[in-house]
């Protein structure tokens, strides 16, 4: 598992006092590898894992949130949503090439807004994205005509700190 600091921008629209929709935008790089498969023997991997390089993901996520108001300062919320993940800037690692199919996924969220003034607040939330995709690994540099269809599961866990402005 890798950790990274990434910028994110969120837009939230309240339908009612408690119900809101939030659009999350951010991008991150993920390292990809196989674990204990027959590619390890072909690539001379000593630990059974094969480096498939990295890929950047852009998973814009639309969340439906429910906000609670236990105090005037603390406003916790829960959310559930969907994302559409676009994969780009693939680096194939030890194989010839790898392509990723863009895909839909789901997301869960738990957070709190901490009001500082009428229009400013701090935000802390955790998100779990569930990202899966189909890939095509071109390992023809390791064995002639070796093309392997496979599936990749990323499921990033995000811890978000932010500052918000109410308009």
């Amino acid at each position: 598992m890798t950790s990274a600091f990434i910028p994110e921008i969120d837009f939230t629209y309240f339908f009612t006092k408690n119900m809101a929709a939030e659009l999350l935008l951010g991008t991150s790089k993920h390292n990809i590898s196989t674990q204990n498969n027959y590619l390890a023997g072909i690539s001379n991997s000593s630990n059974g894992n094969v480096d498939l390089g990295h890929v950047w993901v852009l998973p814009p996520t639309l969340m439906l949130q429910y906000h609670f108001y236990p105090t005037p300062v603390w406003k916790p919320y829960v959310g559930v949503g969907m994302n559409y993940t676009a994969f780009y800037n693939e680096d194939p690692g030890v194989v010839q090439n790898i392509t990723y199919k863009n895909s839909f996924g789901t997301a869960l969220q738990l957070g709190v807004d901490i009001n500082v003034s009428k229009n400013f607040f701090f935000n802390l939330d955790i998100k779990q994205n569930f990202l899966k995709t189909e890939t095509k690994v071109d390992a023809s540099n390791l064995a002639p005509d070796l093309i392997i269809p496979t599936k990749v599961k990323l499921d990033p866990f995000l811890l978000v700190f932010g500052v918000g402005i109410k308009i």
Side-chain angles (χ1 to χ4, degrees), residues 12 33 69 76-77 85 87 92 120 122 124 134 146 159:
T12 305
S33 66
Y69 292 85
Y77 59 89
T85 303
F87 296 86
F120 292 95
F122 292 114
L124 172 65
E134 295 177 3
L146 182 58
L159 177 61

Side-chain angles (χ1 to χ4, degrees), residues 98-138:
I98 186 167
T99 56
Y100 296 84
K101 182 178 178 184
N102 295 346
S103 62
F104 286 95
T106 57
L108 299 175
Q109 177 183 47
L110 180 63
V112 64
D113 291 335
I114 304 164
N115 292 322
V116 177
S117 70
K118 182 180 176 183
N119 294 332
F120 292 95
F121 60 94
F122 292 114
N123 174 262
L124 172 65
D125 79 10
I126 55 174
K127 297 179 187 75
Q128 177 71 59
N129 281 352
F130 300 95
L131 308 177
K132 295 179 186 175
T133 186
E134 295 177 3
T135 63
K136 190 183 292 185
V137 178
D138 177 354

Side-chain angles (χ1 to χ4, degrees), residues 84-96:
Y84 178 76
T85 303
F87 296 86
Y88 66 99
N89 283 354
E90 301 90 349
D91 174 3
V94 301
V95 296
Q96 180 75 22

Side-chain angles (χ1 to χ4, degrees), residues 7-140:
E8 177 185 280
I9 188 165
D10 301 349
F11 299 97
T12 305
Y13 178 79
F14 280 82
F15 300 107
T16 69
K17 178 181 177 183
N18 300 95
M19 296 298 296
E22 182 178 46
L23 177 62
L24 315 165
L25 303 169
T27 188
S28 60
K29 182 172 109 175
H30 295 269
N31 297 317
I32 309 294
S33 66
T34 64
Q35 297 177 349
N36 299 320
N37 67 40
Y38 66 90
L39 260 183
I42 297 171
S43 69
N44 296 321
S45 172
S46 61
N47 63 3
N49 298 341
V50 177
D51 176 18
L52 295 179
H54 64 263
V55 64
W56 283 83
V57 298
L58 175 63
T61 305
L62 184 61
M63 305 291 290
L64 181 61
Q65 300 173 326
Y66 186 85
H67 292 254
F68 304 90
Y69 292 85
T71 73
V73 175
W74 296 86
K75 184 173 66 169
Y77 59 89
V78 295
V80 62
M82 294 207 51
N83 61 59
Y84 178 76
T85 303
F87 296 86
Y88 66 99
N89 283 354
E90 301 90 349
D91 174 3
V94 301
V95 296
Q96 180 75 22
N97 193 21
I98 186 167
T99 56
Y100 296 84
K101 182 178 178 184
N102 295 346
S103 62
F104 286 95
T106 57
L108 299 175
Q109 177 183 47
L110 180 63
V112 64
D113 291 335
I114 304 164
N115 292 322
V116 177
S117 70
K118 182 180 176 183
N119 294 332
F120 292 95
F121 60 94
F122 292 114
N123 174 262
L124 172 65
D125 79 10
I126 55 174
K127 297 179 187 75
Q128 177 71 59
N129 281 352
F130 300 95
L131 308 177
K132 295 179 186 175
T133 186
E134 295 177 3
T135 63
K136 190 183 292 185
V137 178
D138 177 354
S140 58

